[in-house]
Amino acid sequence: MLDPIVEFFTRVFHWIGRGIGLVIAWILWPFMAVGRWYTRRGWIVRGSVGLALLVIVGFYGYFFWQTQVWTGFNPDYVEEYKLEERSVSAGEQTAATQGGETRTCGRSAIVDVTADLTDFNVNENAWISSMLLYKLGFFFALDWDDTPFFDNKASFQRGINQAARRSAIELVDALGRVRGTSQIDRDLQNARGALTFDEETWYFGLSPFGPKTPTPSFYRSAIRDLRKFNDRLESCEAVFDARADNLIQFLDRIASDLGSTSDLLRQRSENYNSGWFDTRADDRFWFAYGQLYAYYGLLTAAGADFEDVIKQRSLGSLWDTTEEQFRAALNVQPFIISNGREDGWIMPTHLATMGFYILRVRSNLVELRLVLDR
């Protein structure tokens, strides 16, 4: 009785093996044909083709390395600022120099964090979204955002940049001027313009008018302008208006930004349930993660810049809880992003998990705003 069964499975595995062999042969056939053509050419043609292939392999090797290595990534990066040791709000004249000849004022932690996050994006790491191979897509046929690989870092960087842009706008419109009636600070204005530049410009665009300045150059100029402003602020030559209503507006903008991202996650989670095979789920997840990563630092920085306001309104405990919830969200780092059903038991739903964390921190931001507005 066993012999027919063994023979049956032997035949099945034999045909499966032949099928796999045919598939592999079909995949390798173009490469083998090119190899035969290559070996029949003269040394000049072979040398030229070999050099071209070497350049292409080098470009792709560099691209793959940059997309997979996240230099300087650290969810606890805010600890390096030692903001708890600060004793003055941003723009406030330090007690040690009051009445003296040389005045010094408190630097803005929000400005420092915004500059450092941008530096992390374009100096510590390559800015992925404007790299030539990223723009060309997967072998010129498919946008990298539509693939399940090599796009996570780009989405993460864009999430950080979204938060940096929002902070730059608030610095220009409210924080870096007195009650919105004084003149706009030129350094902050330049930084805002540079950070709002599009994210994908390479050296050459579709325009027939010649080469363009790439995106990372604009972001690097924003870093210089932000740090220049903070140096002037430290010398009491610039303004940081650390009032309660400005803090309310800043929290409102962060909550609104996170609300938009929460809705983006919700739509993807509700309308697509392909589990590990949803090639756009990772983009949504890492964009949201990048925002939380940046806003964790910016909220902590705001706690230092508005130190007096937080003390006067007795917000210390609630503020600390909000920071802790931001940090807790950064612990969610799955190796593969899955967008399964919420009641599924095989494929998890990481988008819903991230959406939960975003709604939780947003709820705390709204509560902070309500207390400040009393």
Side-chain angles (χ1 to χ4, degrees):
M1 290 295 293
L2 292 178
D3 288 342
I5 297 175
V6 171
E7 183 179 356
F8 170 76
F9 281 105
T10 300
R11 289 177 177 273
V12 169
F13 287 118
H14 171 73
W15 285 106
I16 290 175
R18 288 194 61 183
I20 294 174
L22 289 173
V23 171
I24 294 175
W26 179 76
I27 294 174
L28 294 179
W29 175 83
F31 299 97
M32 297 176 65
V34 170
R36 289 193 295 268
W37 175 89
Y38 180 75
T39 56
R40 295 170 184 168
R41 303 302 101 183
W43 67 270
I44 295 178
V45 174
R46 283 188 289 176
S48 301
V49 172
L51 181 61
L53 288 175
L54 185 63
V55 171
I56 292 173
V57 169
F59 270 124
Y60 271 98
Y62 175 77
F63 173 71
F64 293 161
W65 173 264
Q66 290 297 337
T67 56
Q68 300 308 303
V69 178
W70 297 29
T71 304
F73 174 81
N74 177 18
D76 293 312
Y77 70 98
V78 297
E79 295 179 2
E80 299 174 5
Y81 291 95
K82 301 185 184 304
L83 296 175
E84 68 279 358
E85 298 178 4
R86 286 185 38 159
S87 58
V88 294
S89 298
E92 179 184 356
Q93 187 172 335
T94 58
T97 61
Q98 287 181 353
E101 295 182 0
T102 303
R103 295 193 306 159
T104 60
C105 296
R107 292 175 66 87
S108 168
I110 292 176
V111 173
D112 277 336
V113 171
T114 303
D116 290 344
L117 286 169
T118 307
D119 182 77
F120 166 73
N121 265 349
V122 298
N123 290 328
E124 294 186 45
N125 296 272
W127 179 255
I128 305 300
S129 297
S130 65
M131 291 179 69
L132 177 60
L133 289 181
Y134 193 84
K135 291 172 65 64
L136 292 176
F138 182 65
F139 292 100
F140 313 100
L142 188 64
D143 193 310
W144 285 109
D145 287 339
D146 292 325
T147 68
F149 37 78
F150 303 128
D151 58 343
N152 291 347
K153 186 175 178 181
S155 299
F156 172 72
Q157 288 179 320
R158 289 195 290 262
I160 290 178
N161 195 51
Q162 171 70 14
R165 283 175 171 173
R166 169 51 55 194
S167 297
I169 291 171
E170 294 308 310
L171 285 166
V172 172
D173 291 345
L175 302 179
R177 54 197 301 205
V178 179
R179 297 189 180 275
T181 59
S182 63
Q183 185 176 1
I184 293 176
D185 187 273
R186 182 176 296 276
D187 290 328
L188 293 179
Q189 177 80 334
N190 291 339
R192 176 177 68 174
L195 284 174
T196 53
F197 190 74
D198 80 86
E199 299 172 326
E200 299 181 348
T201 297
W202 191 61
Y203 289 93
F204 293 89
L206 298 177
S207 170
F209 301 108
K212 293 182 177 182
T213 302
T215 294
S217 296
F218 281 91
Y219 295 166
R220 291 187 184 106
S221 71
I223 297 170
R224 292 192 294 269
D225 290 327
L226 288 168
R227 290 176 175 165
K228 183 179 177 182
F229 167 82
N230 237 1
D231 290 341
R232 289 174 44 237
L233 181 63
E234 191 173 22
S235 301
C236 302
E237 297 174 2
V239 172
F240 189 97
D241 199 5
R243 297 193 332 269
D245 57 334
N246 281 342
L247 179 56
I248 289 173
Q249 180 171 311
F250 188 62
L251 295 177
D252 273 344
R253 297 299 187 270
I254 295 176
S256 177
D257 209 10
L258 292 176
S260 298
T261 301
S262 174
D263 187 61
L264 189 71
L265 293 173
R266 179 192 61 79
Q267 290 183 26
R268 191 72 193 180
S269 180
E270 290 180 355
N271 298 325
Y272 300 88
N273 299 120
S274 303
W276 293 305
F277 304 102
D278 184 353
T279 59
R280 296 309 300 266
D282 56 341
D283 307 339
R284 306 297 195 269
F285 179 92
W286 286 111
F287 178 83
Y289 191 99
Q291 276 190 304
L292 290 173
Y293 185 93
Y295 279 136
Y296 172 47
L298 290 167
L299 184 75
T300 306
D305 284 352
F306 291 87
E307 180 186 27
D308 291 340
V309 173
I310 292 173
K311 286 181 179 178
Q312 291 168 5
R313 303 297 178 91
S314 302
L315 281 173
S317 178
L318 180 56
W319 195 277
D320 291 342
T321 299
T322 306
E323 290 180 8
E324 290 170 2
Q325 291 179 354
F326 267 97
R327 178 59 187 86
L330 301 182
N331 289 327
V332 185
Q333 300 178 36
F335 181 70
I336 300 176
I337 308 302
S338 173
N339 180 26
R341 294 175 57 87
E342 293 185 9
D343 59 351
W345 58 279
I346 296 179
M347 296 183 183
T349 171
H350 293 128
L351 295 191
T353 301
M354 182 57 69
F356 162 75
Y357 278 105
I358 287 179
L359 289 176
R360 190 169 72 164
V361 298
R362 187 176 182 275
S363 175
N364 267 54
L365 290 173
V366 172
E367 188 175 354
L368 284 170
R369 189 233 187 275
L370 291 174
V371 174
L372 283 166
D373 202 26
R374 289 174 184 168

